[in-house]
Amino acid sequence: MILDPNMASATDPCSFSSFSKCVTKHLNLTYHVDFDSHVIKAKVALTVEVLVDNFTSLTLDTKDLKVSKVTANGQAAKFTLGPKHSFMGTPLEITLPFDLSRGQHVIVEVTYETAPSASALQWLTPEQTAGKKHPYLFSQCQATHCRSMVPCQDTPAMKHTYYAQVSVPKELVAVMSAVRDGQEPDPQDSSRAIYRFRQPVPMPSYLIAIVVGALESREIGPRSRVWSEKEFVDKAAFEFSETETMLKTAEDLAGPYVWGQYDILVLPPSFPYGGMENPCLTFATPTLLAGDRSLSNVSKHSSQVYLSSQVCVNLCPPPVFSLQVIAHEISHSWTGNLVTNKTWEHFWLNEGHTVYLERMIGRSMESEQFRQFKAMGGWKDLQESVNTFGANNPLTNLVPNMNEVDPDDAFSSVPYEKGFALLYHLEELMGGPEVFMGFVKSYIQMFAYSSVTTEEWKKYLFTYFKNKVDILNKVDWNAWMHTPGMPPVKPQYDTTMADACIALCKRWVKTKEGDLGNFSEVDMKTLSTHQLIEFLSLLLQEDPLPLSHVKRMQEVYRLNALNNAEIRFRWLRLCVKSKWEDAVPMALKMATEQGRMKFTRPLFKEVYNFDKYREEAVRVFIAHRAAMHPVTSNLVAKDLKVDTGKST
């Protein structure tokens, strides 16, 4: 069922474009990627459908774009750029040279150039890549950065297909969030090549993505390849070898995969997120590639991997490190990409359902106890976000008001984990995981290819469970949706997998200094990687451990030797919290050698909160900020109270 975008709310507080008057149906992009000047010289032809009579003008979102020409059906059109907004950019007002009526279409073509500081784009020098020989470009458009590389109706309410041709230096490869449609020498320049792409499934602008670099690929399944620089491509192929199994598991749960290809691209370390669900081309952080394993010493089906000379952590087969992130991004193929939040106020519809589906995949591939264990960890992540924002902060509402709020500033685990907690609560009320997954699958089928609001979701929930309306009416919807802080109901999760972590955490918290000799490497022998991460997470929720305790922990568990990013991140935070000075340079090194915000921001904050090293945290940030992704740089600057200067 495709909803008429004119039927529901037709404004988005994060966009200048009014989609009550017209809707974009298709984009045709022509890109010339210029590594010398760090700009994309571009043309975009937007196929726009008119929704009203006497239509003479439209507004597109732009940010730092240099617009040189606009035409409508080939005729010159007048245009003006309005005043610049701090994070929303600049409205591009276009006046058509003719009137149109409801139902008619117009092709609006904009010739423009991106700015070197475009917030969607990160340009890397050869030195910043693994290969050290060629430059690299990647984009990150979510939430409102597409307008810095394409003038468009930059709102998730708008869904369109796209076609693109991209000219790049011939020694480089271009990939996009679309199906590859061939390549050829650039007829204008023999030193360049043109890559073509088509995306036949309508999708929102924030999912447009481009990467240009010295890329190689390996086949990892009948509809999947992994892409990265050659230095990582074999390791990545090994890490993501379970992709097809996960895709099939997701299809069993949610319905057919409609996007054709499902490729994974491992980005350079400055990528700010764990993953990004760009259609046909999931972006993944290289922190998923376990640094503590190599292909030469780990068999595909080994149950144990020796992480240091004395500590052995029991593991699932190798792809365990990446399973959760890729399960999450695969799930977005249905919840987020196929059914999309109409505006960023309803972001939980994307993320809460995706976490729910991701954990259902975990349940199918591992066990129900594993799902419960991950849900417990998610509740703690939610508690940490609420503590960081403050329990009365309206940004901890499940459905926040986004008027004059930059979605980047609002980003946290709240829509993910508060959203999941609501869905899990409803699952318990409605009759268990199989029953509730039936609703989720039906919701996906009902709203496929469209964008929805929380009200539309809730109305469908009541329709689907029409025989249980009396139970649904007892849910405190206002407390769940529009009240800040933790949810009104705390689920009672199965603690089987968590009990060992909780017990070990309590031992460390309660032990006096004279009894530290009671700990030994044996404590770790029965813990899986997930449990070790949970143990460290639990300790981070406690008051800082005495310095003697963390030093003893290092002595017996050798945690400094572990390169798993999730473990290392928590361990270093724990050490800095306990004011172990030796850990400060290691924490700052991890904060700067990769740019995943989940790791970088808390590590910088932890060092900043260690009074003696506050100035060092600021100094290291300033020294490295130029190499950071613009979103990461801006948010860390706010965390460390460093002047952000003009908005990038």
Side-chain angles (χ1 to χ4, degrees), residues 143-162:
T144 58
H145 299 288
C146 186
R147 61 195 70 175
S148 74
M149 69 178 206
V150 188
C152 60
Q153 291 183 297
D154 195 9
T155 166
M158 236 357 69
K159 287 188 157 180
H160 45 69
T161 53
Y162 81 85

Side-chain angles (χ1 to χ4, degrees), residues 42-48 55-62 65-82 90-98 106-113 150-152:
K43 268 185 198 172
V44 60
L46 302 95
T47 303
V48 175
F55 180 81
T56 57
S57 66
L58 69 154
T59 305
L60 300 179
D61 289 301
T62 77
L65 296 180
K66 195 189 290 181
V67 178
S68 56
K69 183 181 172 188
V70 179
T71 64
N73 290 349
Q75 298 179 45
K78 290 180 182 169
F79 66 92
T80 56
L81 285 160
T90 306
L92 173 61
E93 311 277 0
I94 298 169
T95 305
L96 302 182
F98 41 72
V106 59
I107 294 179
V108 176
E109 186 173 89
V110 183
T111 305
Y112 67 97
E113 196 174 284
V150 188
C152 60

Side-chain angles (χ1 to χ4, degrees), residues 28-35 39-43 123 137 149 162-170 172-187 189 192-198 208-213:
N28 196 342
L29 288 161
T30 307
Y31 273 178
H32 179 99
V33 178
D34 187 337
F35 279 99
V39 301
I40 297 176
K41 295 164 185 170
K43 268 185 198 172
W123 302 85
L137 166 68
M149 69 178 206
Y162 81 85
Y163 192 84
Q165 62 173 52
V166 183
S167 171
V168 301
K170 68 180 181 185
L172 302 181
V173 173
V175 286
M176 291 190 77
S177 53
V179 179
R180 295 186 305 287
D181 202 28
Q183 67 188 85
E184 64 202 49
D186 188 333
D189 185 341
R192 301 177 69 85
I194 286 176
Y195 287 83
R196 299 182 186 278
F197 304 93
R198 60 186 163 82
I208 296 174
I210 183 169
V211 175
V212 182

Side-chain angles (χ1 to χ4, degrees), residues 117 217 344 569:
S117 60
S217 70
W344 298 112
F569 158 66

Side-chain angles (χ1 to χ4, degrees), residues 322-455:
S322 52
L323 175 83
Q324 198 175 348
V325 169
I326 297 304
H328 184 88
E329 305 312 334
I330 280 176
S331 299
H332 267 306
S333 305
W334 290 267
T335 48
N337 298 6
L338 192 57
V339 181
T340 307
N341 47 228
K342 184 160 273 184
T343 68
W344 298 112
E345 293 148 309
H346 305 285
F347 189 40
W348 84 272
L349 291 174
N350 277 18
E351 297 300 351
H353 287 84
T354 297
V355 173
Y356 185 84
L357 188 47
E358 162 207 330
R359 289 183 181 149
M360 288 297 285
I361 292 172
R363 178 179 189 259
S364 297
M365 292 180 73
E366 298 279 339
S367 65
E368 173 62 15
Q369 282 184 354
F370 178 76
R371 182 176 83 117
Q372 297 278 326
F373 178 70
K374 298 312 288 184
M376 280 185 74
W379 184 268
K380 274 201 300 304
D381 291 341
L382 174 59
Q383 184 70 67
E384 189 164 338
S385 280
V386 169
N387 293 346
T388 301
F389 276 114
N392 296 316
N393 191 316
L395 290 181
T396 63
N397 287 10
L398 193 56
V399 185
N401 180 344
M402 296 297 287
N403 266 324
E404 289 300 315
V405 175
D406 185 342
D408 288 342
D409 291 342
F411 187 83
S412 75
S413 65
V414 170
Y416 297 74
E417 296 298 348
K418 201 173 193 177
F420 171 82
L422 170 59
L423 297 175
Y424 183 83
H425 178 56
L426 292 171
E427 172 196 297
E428 289 194 304
L429 293 177
M430 295 297 100
E434 282 82 6
V435 172
F436 197 71
M437 194 60 224
F439 160 72
V440 172
K441 187 173 186 177
S442 179
Y443 158 74
I444 291 165
Q445 288 169 339
M446 170 60 80
F447 294 104
Y449 307 103
S450 67
S451 302
V452 292
T453 63
T454 299
E455 275 310 305

Side-chain angles (χ1 to χ4, degrees), residues 469-515:
V469 167
D470 52 334
I471 302 172
L472 288 173
N473 278 329
K474 288 178 186 155
V475 173
D476 189 343
W477 294 103
N478 187 58
W480 276 102
M481 301 288 184
H482 305 293
T483 306
M486 293 299 284
V489 178
K490 180 175 182 179
Q492 295 305 302
Y493 296 121
D494 181 315
T495 63
T496 307
M497 282 183 70
D499 288 340
C501 318
I502 295 165
L504 187 58
C505 172
K506 281 182 177 165
R507 274 182 65 200
W508 278 99
V509 169
K510 291 180 177 173
T511 293
K512 300 284 183 281
E513 197 165 330
D515 298 325

